[in-house]
Amino acid sequence: MKERLHNDFNEHSSHFGFALADSTVLTEAKLIISHEGSADDVQLDIDPQRHLEDGRKVSVIAQQLQTAILREDANILYGSEISYVQYAIHLTENSRISIASIQGISYPIELDLAPYEAGEYEVRIALHRKTPRIAEGPLEPEQLAMVKYAQVNTVHITLFPAEAPMLDSSSAVWTRNHHVFDSYGRRGFILADLDHVAKRVEELFGTGNHNLIEYFTAGHLDILLEEGLMVVVWGMTPWCYSIYSPPNEQAANMLAWDKLGDGPERQAIFYIDPKVQRLSIVPANELAFWTDCIRKDWPVIDIPGEGETLHLDLYVQIAESVNELHENPIPSFVLTRSTGQPETILLMADVVIVEEVDFPLT
Protein backbone atom coordinates (compact mmCIF):
# COMPACT_ATOMS: atom_id res chain seq x y z
CA MET A 1 0.00 0.00 0.00
CA LYS A 2 1.23 3.49 -0.82
CA GLU A 3 2.15 5.50 2.26
CA ARG A 4 1.05 8.80 0.74
CA LEU A 5 -2.72 8.60 0.59
CA HIS A 6 -3.23 12.33 0.10
CA ASN A 7 -2.49 14.07 -3.19
CA ASP A 8 -0.76 17.13 -1.75
CA PHE A 9 0.11 17.35 1.91
CA ASN A 10 1.10 21.01 1.51
CA GLU A 11 -2.38 22.02 0.44
CA HIS A 12 -5.18 22.28 3.00
CA SER A 13 -8.54 20.89 1.95
CA SER A 14 -11.84 20.27 3.67
CA HIS A 15 -11.92 16.85 1.95
CA PHE A 16 -9.70 13.81 2.38
CA GLY A 17 -10.03 10.36 0.85
CA PHE A 18 -8.39 7.02 0.26
CA ALA A 19 -9.60 3.53 -0.65
CA LEU A 20 -8.64 -0.06 0.14
CA ALA A 21 -9.28 -3.28 -1.75
CA ASP A 22 -10.67 -5.10 1.32
CA SER A 23 -12.94 -3.46 3.89
CA THR A 24 -12.13 -6.20 6.42
CA VAL A 25 -8.94 -4.40 7.49
CA LEU A 26 -11.04 -1.49 8.79
CA THR A 27 -13.26 -3.61 11.04
CA GLU A 28 -11.37 -2.70 14.22
CA ALA A 29 -10.10 0.70 13.05
CA LYS A 30 -10.39 3.69 15.37
CA LEU A 31 -10.84 7.39 14.73
CA ILE A 32 -8.27 9.04 16.98
CA ILE A 33 -8.74 12.59 18.31
CA SER A 34 -5.45 13.81 19.81
CA HIS A 35 -4.37 17.14 21.27
CA GLU A 36 -0.87 18.55 21.41
CA GLY A 37 0.50 18.39 24.97
CA SER A 38 -2.15 15.89 26.11
CA ALA A 39 -1.65 12.17 26.55
CA ASP A 40 -5.36 11.42 26.59
CA ASP A 41 -6.42 10.53 23.07
CA VAL A 42 -10.07 9.96 22.26
CA GLN A 43 -10.64 6.70 20.39
CA LEU A 44 -13.90 6.26 18.48
CA ASP A 45 -15.08 3.04 16.84
CA ILE A 46 -15.50 3.36 13.08
CA ASP A 47 -17.41 0.11 12.65
CA PRO A 48 -18.89 -0.87 16.03
CA GLN A 49 -21.27 -3.39 14.47
CA ARG A 50 -18.56 -4.99 12.28
CA HIS A 51 -20.33 -4.49 8.97
CA LEU A 52 -16.99 -4.17 7.16
CA GLU A 53 -16.05 -7.79 7.81
CA ASP A 54 -17.77 -8.78 4.55
CA GLY A 55 -14.64 -7.94 2.55
CA ARG A 56 -15.80 -5.55 -0.17
CA LYS A 57 -13.65 -2.75 -1.55
CA VAL A 58 -14.03 0.37 0.55
CA SER A 59 -13.70 4.11 0.02
CA VAL A 60 -12.98 6.32 3.04
CA ILE A 61 -14.03 9.95 2.71
CA ALA A 62 -13.59 12.56 5.46
CA GLN A 63 -15.01 16.08 5.22
CA GLN A 64 -15.02 19.17 7.43
CA LEU A 65 -18.26 21.02 6.76
CA GLN A 66 -20.21 23.93 8.20
CA THR A 67 -23.40 21.86 8.34
CA ALA A 68 -24.02 18.14 8.30
CA ILE A 69 -24.80 16.37 5.05
CA LEU A 70 -28.35 15.09 5.14
CA ARG A 71 -28.50 11.34 5.47
CA GLU A 72 -30.95 11.25 2.55
CA ASP A 73 -28.38 12.98 0.33
CA ALA A 74 -25.59 10.67 1.52
CA ASN A 75 -27.73 7.64 0.62
CA ILE A 76 -27.90 8.87 -2.97
CA LEU A 77 -24.18 9.69 -3.16
CA TYR A 78 -22.78 6.55 -1.51
CA GLY A 79 -25.56 3.96 -1.47
CA SER A 80 -27.79 2.59 1.27
CA GLU A 81 -26.75 3.42 4.82
CA ILE A 82 -25.83 0.29 6.78
CA SER A 83 -24.47 1.89 9.96
CA TYR A 84 -24.54 5.29 11.62
CA VAL A 85 -22.85 6.66 14.74
CA GLN A 86 -22.32 10.23 15.91
CA TYR A 87 -19.98 11.50 18.63
CA ALA A 88 -19.60 14.82 20.44
CA ILE A 89 -15.95 15.95 20.58
CA HIS A 90 -13.90 18.99 21.58
CA LEU A 91 -11.15 20.35 19.33
CA THR A 92 -8.43 22.94 19.76
CA GLU A 93 -6.27 24.69 17.19
CA ASN A 94 -3.65 21.98 17.74
CA SER A 95 -5.92 18.94 17.52
CA ARG A 96 -5.24 16.12 15.13
CA ILE A 97 -7.63 13.53 13.71
CA SER A 98 -6.36 10.24 12.35
CA ILE A 99 -7.37 6.66 11.67
CA ALA A 100 -5.38 3.92 13.42
CA SER A 101 -5.58 0.17 14.07
CA ILE A 102 -5.99 -0.67 10.39
CA GLN A 103 -4.93 -4.28 9.92
CA GLY A 104 -1.64 -4.50 8.02
CA ILE A 105 -0.92 -0.75 8.18
CA SER A 106 1.56 0.17 10.88
CA TYR A 107 1.11 3.94 10.86
CA PRO A 108 -1.91 6.17 11.59
CA ILE A 109 -3.46 7.89 8.59
CA GLU A 110 -3.98 11.56 9.40
CA LEU A 111 -7.12 13.16 8.01
CA ASP A 112 -5.62 16.35 6.67
CA LEU A 113 -8.54 18.61 7.64
CA ALA A 114 -6.75 20.93 10.11
CA PRO A 115 -6.42 23.68 11.23
CA TYR A 116 -9.50 23.65 13.43
CA GLU A 117 -11.19 26.43 15.33
CA ALA A 118 -11.37 25.63 19.04
CA GLY A 119 -14.82 24.53 20.09
CA GLU A 120 -17.39 21.77 20.29
CA TYR A 121 -17.99 19.55 17.27
CA GLU A 122 -19.95 16.55 16.14
CA VAL A 123 -18.27 13.80 14.17
CA ARG A 124 -20.53 11.48 12.23
CA ILE A 125 -19.38 8.12 10.88
CA ALA A 126 -21.77 6.50 8.44
CA LEU A 127 -21.19 3.29 6.49
CA HIS A 128 -22.84 2.99 3.09
CA ARG A 129 -23.00 0.30 0.42
CA LYS A 130 -23.39 1.11 -3.26
CA THR A 131 -24.92 -1.65 -5.42
CA PRO A 132 -25.22 -1.63 -9.24
CA ARG A 133 -28.75 -1.10 -10.46
CA ILE A 134 -28.65 -4.29 -12.47
CA ALA A 135 -29.09 -6.08 -9.12
CA GLU A 136 -32.59 -4.62 -8.84
CA GLY A 137 -33.73 -7.20 -11.41
CA PRO A 138 -33.24 -10.96 -11.84
CA LEU A 139 -29.65 -12.16 -12.17
CA GLU A 140 -27.95 -15.28 -13.42
CA PRO A 141 -26.22 -17.32 -10.66
CA GLU A 142 -22.73 -16.27 -11.74
CA GLN A 143 -23.81 -12.64 -11.66
CA LEU A 144 -24.73 -12.80 -7.97
CA ALA A 145 -21.09 -13.18 -6.97
CA MET A 146 -20.13 -10.37 -9.33
CA VAL A 147 -22.66 -8.05 -7.68
CA LYS A 148 -20.75 -8.42 -4.42
CA TYR A 149 -17.48 -7.85 -6.30
CA ALA A 150 -18.90 -4.69 -7.84
CA GLN A 151 -20.36 -3.27 -4.62
CA VAL A 152 -18.48 -0.45 -2.91
CA ASN A 153 -18.54 0.23 0.82
CA THR A 154 -18.01 3.85 1.85
CA VAL A 155 -16.91 5.05 5.27
CA HIS A 156 -18.18 8.62 5.32
CA ILE A 157 -16.73 10.74 8.14
CA THR A 158 -18.08 14.25 8.53
CA LEU A 159 -16.97 16.85 11.06
CA PHE A 160 -19.16 19.91 11.72
CA PRO A 161 -19.72 22.45 14.52
CA ALA A 162 -22.02 21.28 17.30
CA GLU A 163 -24.19 24.38 16.88
CA ALA A 164 -24.65 23.77 13.14
CA PRO A 165 -28.33 23.82 12.16
CA MET A 166 -29.80 20.38 11.58
CA LEU A 167 -31.86 20.33 8.40
CA ASP A 168 -34.86 18.07 7.93
CA SER A 169 -35.23 15.57 5.12
CA SER A 170 -37.27 18.00 3.01
CA SER A 171 -34.03 19.92 2.41
CA ALA A 172 -32.46 17.01 0.52
CA VAL A 173 -31.42 17.95 -3.02
CA TRP A 174 -29.88 14.75 -4.40
CA THR A 175 -32.34 12.30 -5.95
CA ARG A 176 -32.12 8.91 -7.61
CA ASN A 177 -31.95 10.72 -10.96
CA HIS A 178 -28.70 12.48 -10.00
CA HIS A 179 -26.59 9.32 -9.52
CA VAL A 180 -26.65 6.03 -11.41
CA PHE A 181 -24.26 3.20 -10.53
CA ASP A 182 -24.32 0.33 -12.99
CA SER A 183 -22.39 -1.99 -15.27
CA TYR A 184 -21.53 -1.30 -18.91
CA GLY A 185 -19.99 -3.50 -21.58
CA ARG A 186 -16.90 -2.95 -23.67
CA ARG A 187 -18.75 -0.82 -26.23
CA GLY A 188 -19.49 1.82 -23.58
CA PHE A 189 -22.73 3.74 -23.16
CA ILE A 190 -24.70 6.67 -24.53
CA LEU A 191 -26.70 9.39 -22.79
CA ALA A 192 -29.59 10.33 -25.02
CA ASP A 193 -32.89 12.15 -25.22
CA LEU A 194 -34.48 8.97 -26.55
CA ASP A 195 -37.81 10.47 -27.64
CA HIS A 196 -36.10 13.05 -29.82
CA VAL A 197 -33.41 10.63 -31.00
CA ALA A 198 -36.06 8.09 -32.07
CA LYS A 199 -37.81 10.75 -34.15
CA ARG A 200 -34.57 11.88 -35.76
CA VAL A 201 -33.49 8.31 -36.54
CA GLU A 202 -36.80 7.70 -38.29
CA GLU A 203 -36.45 10.95 -40.23
CA LEU A 204 -32.87 10.14 -41.23
CA PHE A 205 -33.05 6.40 -41.89
CA GLY A 206 -36.73 5.47 -42.02
CA THR A 207 -38.56 2.93 -39.88
CA GLY A 208 -37.04 -0.43 -39.03
CA ASN A 209 -34.82 -2.22 -36.54
CA HIS A 210 -31.63 -0.34 -37.44
CA ASN A 211 -28.16 -1.26 -36.23
CA LEU A 212 -27.05 2.13 -34.92
CA ILE A 213 -23.62 0.77 -34.00
CA GLU A 214 -22.86 0.46 -37.71
CA TYR A 215 -24.31 3.93 -38.31
CA PHE A 216 -22.19 5.40 -35.54
CA THR A 217 -18.92 3.84 -36.70
CA ALA A 218 -19.64 5.12 -40.20
CA GLY A 219 -20.17 8.66 -38.89
CA HIS A 220 -23.88 8.76 -39.74
CA LEU A 221 -24.89 9.68 -36.17
CA ASP A 222 -22.63 12.72 -35.90
CA ILE A 223 -25.66 14.89 -36.60
CA LEU A 224 -27.23 13.73 -33.31
CA LEU A 225 -24.15 14.97 -31.46
CA GLU A 226 -24.27 18.25 -33.36
CA GLU A 227 -27.93 18.70 -32.45
CA GLY A 228 -27.21 18.12 -28.74
CA LEU A 229 -29.35 14.99 -28.39
CA MET A 230 -26.66 12.45 -27.49
CA VAL A 231 -23.50 11.97 -25.41
CA VAL A 232 -21.23 9.07 -26.30
CA VAL A 233 -18.66 7.15 -24.25
CA TRP A 234 -17.42 4.72 -26.86
CA GLY A 235 -15.32 1.67 -26.02
CA MET A 236 -14.40 1.09 -22.40
CA THR A 237 -13.29 -1.51 -19.91
CA PRO A 238 -16.35 -3.58 -18.89
CA TRP A 239 -16.84 -2.42 -15.31
CA CYS A 240 -19.22 -0.75 -12.86
CA TYR A 241 -19.23 3.05 -12.96
CA SER A 242 -20.97 5.83 -11.09
CA ILE A 243 -22.46 8.62 -13.19
CA TYR A 244 -23.15 11.77 -11.16
CA SER A 245 -24.96 14.92 -12.24
CA PRO A 246 -24.96 17.35 -9.28
CA PRO A 247 -28.31 19.16 -8.90
CA ASN A 248 -26.58 22.51 -8.28
CA GLU A 249 -23.19 24.06 -7.56
CA GLN A 250 -23.58 23.81 -3.79
CA ALA A 251 -24.43 20.12 -4.07
CA ALA A 252 -21.39 19.58 -6.28
CA ASN A 253 -19.19 20.87 -3.45
CA MET A 254 -20.28 17.88 -1.36
CA LEU A 255 -18.28 15.62 -3.67
CA ALA A 256 -14.66 15.10 -2.66
CA TRP A 257 -13.33 14.74 -6.19
CA ASP A 258 -10.05 16.53 -5.49
CA LYS A 259 -9.07 13.74 -3.10
CA LEU A 260 -10.27 10.75 -5.12
CA GLY A 261 -7.50 10.98 -7.69
CA ASP A 262 -4.98 13.33 -9.23
CA GLY A 263 -7.69 15.05 -11.25
CA PRO A 264 -9.86 13.77 -14.09
CA GLU A 265 -8.42 10.80 -15.93
CA ARG A 266 -10.39 11.75 -19.03
CA GLN A 267 -12.49 14.74 -20.06
CA ALA A 268 -15.07 15.24 -22.79
CA ILE A 269 -17.17 18.19 -23.98
CA PHE A 270 -20.51 17.96 -25.74
CA TYR A 271 -23.16 20.30 -27.09
CA ILE A 272 -26.53 19.79 -25.39
CA ASP A 273 -29.85 21.14 -26.57
CA PRO A 274 -30.81 23.85 -24.04
CA LYS A 275 -34.31 22.35 -23.76
CA VAL A 276 -32.97 18.94 -22.66
CA GLN A 277 -33.16 18.39 -18.90
CA ARG A 278 -32.96 14.60 -18.70
CA LEU A 279 -31.04 11.88 -20.56
CA SER A 280 -31.46 8.11 -20.64
CA ILE A 281 -28.40 5.93 -19.97
CA VAL A 282 -28.17 3.13 -22.53
CA PRO A 283 -25.42 0.50 -22.91
CA ALA A 284 -23.98 1.05 -26.37
CA ASN A 285 -24.37 -2.60 -27.38
CA GLU A 286 -28.16 -2.10 -27.24
CA LEU A 287 -27.92 0.22 -30.24
CA ALA A 288 -27.53 -2.84 -32.46
CA PHE A 289 -31.26 -3.53 -32.12
CA TRP A 290 -32.79 -0.07 -32.18
CA THR A 291 -36.48 -1.03 -32.19
CA ASP A 292 -36.01 -3.18 -29.09
CA CYS A 293 -33.75 -0.58 -27.47
CA ILE A 294 -36.28 2.25 -27.46
CA ARG A 295 -38.96 0.00 -25.94
CA LYS A 296 -36.90 -0.74 -22.82
CA ASP A 297 -37.06 1.21 -19.57
CA TRP A 298 -33.58 2.72 -19.11
CA PRO A 299 -32.26 4.63 -16.09
CA VAL A 300 -32.39 8.38 -16.54
CA ILE A 301 -30.16 11.11 -15.19
CA ASP A 302 -31.19 14.72 -14.74
CA ILE A 303 -29.08 17.41 -16.43
CA PRO A 304 -30.09 20.44 -14.33
CA GLY A 305 -29.28 24.04 -15.01
CA GLU A 306 -29.05 26.11 -18.15
CA GLY A 307 -26.56 26.22 -20.96
CA GLU A 308 -25.50 24.37 -24.06
CA THR A 309 -22.18 22.91 -22.93
CA LEU A 310 -22.03 19.58 -21.15
CA HIS A 311 -18.77 18.55 -19.48
CA LEU A 312 -18.11 14.88 -18.76
CA ASP A 313 -15.15 14.17 -16.45
CA LEU A 314 -13.94 10.73 -15.43
CA TYR A 315 -12.35 10.37 -11.97
CA VAL A 316 -10.77 7.15 -10.75
CA GLN A 317 -10.11 6.38 -7.12
CA ILE A 318 -7.75 3.43 -6.63
CA ALA A 319 -8.52 0.94 -3.87
CA GLU A 320 -5.02 0.08 -2.59
CA SER A 321 -3.87 -3.52 -2.29
CA VAL A 322 -4.38 -5.12 1.15
CA ASN A 323 -4.98 -8.65 2.45
CA GLU A 324 -3.45 -10.08 -0.74
CA LEU A 325 -6.20 -8.42 -2.80
CA HIS A 326 -4.83 -6.36 -5.65
CA GLU A 327 -5.71 -2.72 -6.21
CA ASN A 328 -9.11 -2.09 -7.68
CA PRO A 329 -10.40 1.02 -9.47
CA ILE A 330 -13.54 2.90 -8.39
CA PRO A 331 -14.50 5.03 -11.44
CA SER A 332 -16.96 7.93 -11.43
CA PHE A 333 -18.21 10.06 -14.30
CA VAL A 334 -19.30 13.58 -13.36
CA LEU A 335 -21.63 15.63 -15.59
CA THR A 336 -21.75 19.41 -15.27
CA ARG A 337 -23.49 21.97 -17.45
CA SER A 338 -22.30 25.48 -18.35
CA THR A 339 -23.55 28.40 -20.39
CA GLY A 340 -22.50 29.12 -23.94
CA GLN A 341 -21.90 26.79 -26.86
CA PRO A 342 -18.73 24.66 -26.89
CA GLU A 343 -16.10 25.67 -29.41
CA THR A 344 -15.63 22.01 -30.27
CA ILE A 345 -17.07 18.62 -29.38
CA LEU A 346 -14.53 16.43 -27.58
CA LEU A 347 -15.58 12.78 -27.52
CA MET A 348 -14.58 10.18 -24.96
CA ALA A 349 -13.47 6.88 -26.49
CA ASP A 350 -11.28 3.87 -25.65
CA VAL A 351 -11.63 4.30 -21.89
CA VAL A 352 -9.26 1.81 -20.24
CA ILE A 353 -9.60 1.53 -16.46
CA VAL A 354 -8.11 -1.95 -16.08
CA GLU A 355 -6.81 -4.53 -18.51
CA GLU A 356 -9.57 -6.20 -20.53
CA VAL A 357 -11.65 -8.51 -18.36
CA ASP A 358 -14.75 -10.64 -18.80
CA PHE A 359 -17.20 -8.97 -16.44
CA PRO A 360 -20.36 -11.13 -16.13
CA LEU A 361 -22.58 -8.18 -15.18
CA THR A 362 -22.24 -6.72 -18.68
Side-chain angles (χ1 to χ4, degrees):
M1 178 184 176
K2 301 173 185 176
E3 292 190 8
R4 291 290 188 179
L5 291 172
H6 195 295
N7 289 338
D8 187 350
F9 274 78
N10 296 316
E11 178 186 358
H12 168 69
S13 174
S14 60
H15 302 323
F16 176 83
F18 66 94
L20 304 171
D22 184 359
S23 62
T24 305
V25 301
L26 286 170
T27 303
E28 298 183 3
K30 307 288 185 182
L31 190 69
I32 308 297
I33 315 296
S34 58
H35 310 285
E36 187 175 309
S38 173
D40 297 326
D41 292 346
V42 176
Q43 299 192 19
L44 307 175
D45 282 325
I46 286 179
D47 182 24
Q49 297 175 315
R50 301 300 188 262
H51 289 292
L52 298 176
E53 289 179 335
D54 56 24
R56 291 165 172 84
K57 54 182 170 289
V58 58
S59 173
V60 180
I61 296 174
Q63 297 177 293
Q64 182 182 179
L65 304 169
Q66 292 304 307
T67 58
I69 289 180
L70 284 171
R71 294 167 73 177
E72 291 80 5
D73 283 337
N75 283 333
I76 296 297
L77 292 171
Y78 307 116
S80 300
E81 182 184 286
I82 56 176
S83 177
Y84 172 96
V85 289
Q86 189 161 316
Y87 304 97
I89 62 172
H90 177 79
L91 295 179
T92 70
E93 294 88 344
N94 299 316
S95 296
R96 300 174 66 182
I97 303 178
S98 59
I99 298 177
S101 302
I102 301 177
Q103 178 189 334
I105 299 176
S106 60
Y107 55 90
I109 297 174
E110 186 170 349
L111 308 185
D112 186 35
L113 305 179
Y116 308 105
E117 293 184 8
E120 306 304 315
Y121 290 81
E122 298 285 327
V123 60
R124 177 184 297 175
I125 305 173
L127 306 186
H128 295 263
R129 181 167 301 147
K130 186 164 56 174
T131 301
R133 289 201 185 180
I134 194 173
E136 296 174 2
L139 296 174
E140 298 296 328
E142 67 272 14
Q143 291 179 313
L144 294 174
M146 292 307 297
V147 164
K148 178 178 177 179
Y149 180 76
Q151 286 175 319
V152 179
N153 285 334
T154 296
V155 178
H156 189 220
I157 303 168
T158 50
L159 175 74
F160 50 92
E163 69 273 11
M166 303 302 290
L167 304 175
D168 60 37
S169 59
S170 64
S171 301
V173 296
W174 288 86
T175 72
R176 180 176 168 87
N177 288 348
H178 293 116
H179 174 210
V180 176
F181 177 59
D182 216 346
S183 164
Y184 302 96
R186 58 180 50 86
R187 289 195 185 277
F189 61 88
I190 67 165
L191 309 175
D193 182 336
L194 282 184
D195 288 341
H196 286 89
V197 168
K199 293 177 183 177
R200 291 296 285 130
V201 167
E202 184 172 344
E203 291 170 0
L204 293 167
F205 310 114
T207 59
N209 196 17
H210 304 288
N211 184 339
L212 294 194
I213 293 177
E214 293 181 354
Y215 291 177
F216 178 83
T217 54
H220 299 321
L221 296 185
D222 291 353
I223 189 172
L224 300 180
L225 295 171
E226 295 167 0
E227 293 176 352
L229 302 178
M230 181 183 291
V231 170
V232 176
V233 178
W234 192 255
M236 61 196 290
T237 300
W239 207 252
C240 275
Y241 298 80
S242 279
I243 304 175
Y244 290 98
S245 182
N248 54 51
E249 185 175 353
Q250 183 179 6
N253 292 333
M254 295 164 56
L255 300 172
W257 302 124
D258 62 328
K259 300 307 168 196
L260 302 190
D262 294 327
E265 293 280 336
R266 301 285 295 275
Q267 294 181 290
I269 301 173
F270 298 89
Y271 169 70
I272 183 170
D273 187 314
K275 298 186 296 293
V276 171
Q277 293 289 311
R278 176 175 290 187
L279 296 171
S280 297
I281 306 174
V282 182
N285 61 286
E286 295 283 345
L287 299 179
F289 307 97
W290 180 240
T291 301
D292 295 334
C293 176
I294 58 177
R295 290 173 178 166
K296 295 181 180 180
D297 185 20
W298 299 110
V300 298
I301 193 159
D302 289 344
I303 312 296
E306 300 177 352
E308 299 162 283
T309 298
L310 192 64
H311 302 267
L312 179 64
D313 295 339
L314 171 61
Y315 293 83
V316 181
Q317 185 182 30
I318 297 298
E320 306 283 353
S321 301
V322 289
N323 264 4
E324 300 183 350
L325 292 178
H326 296 295
E327 65 180 32
N328 203 316
I330 305 175
S332 297
F333 290 94
V334 183
L335 287 161
T336 54
R337 191 171 192 159
S338 63
T339 57
Q341 290 195 20
E343 294 182 1
T344 185
I345 294 177
L346 179 62
L347 300 180
M348 188 176 291
D350 300 325
V351 181
V352 179
I353 302 300
V354 295
E355 295 299 322
E356 186 71 15
V357 294
D358 185 15
F359 199 56
L361 286 182
T362 59

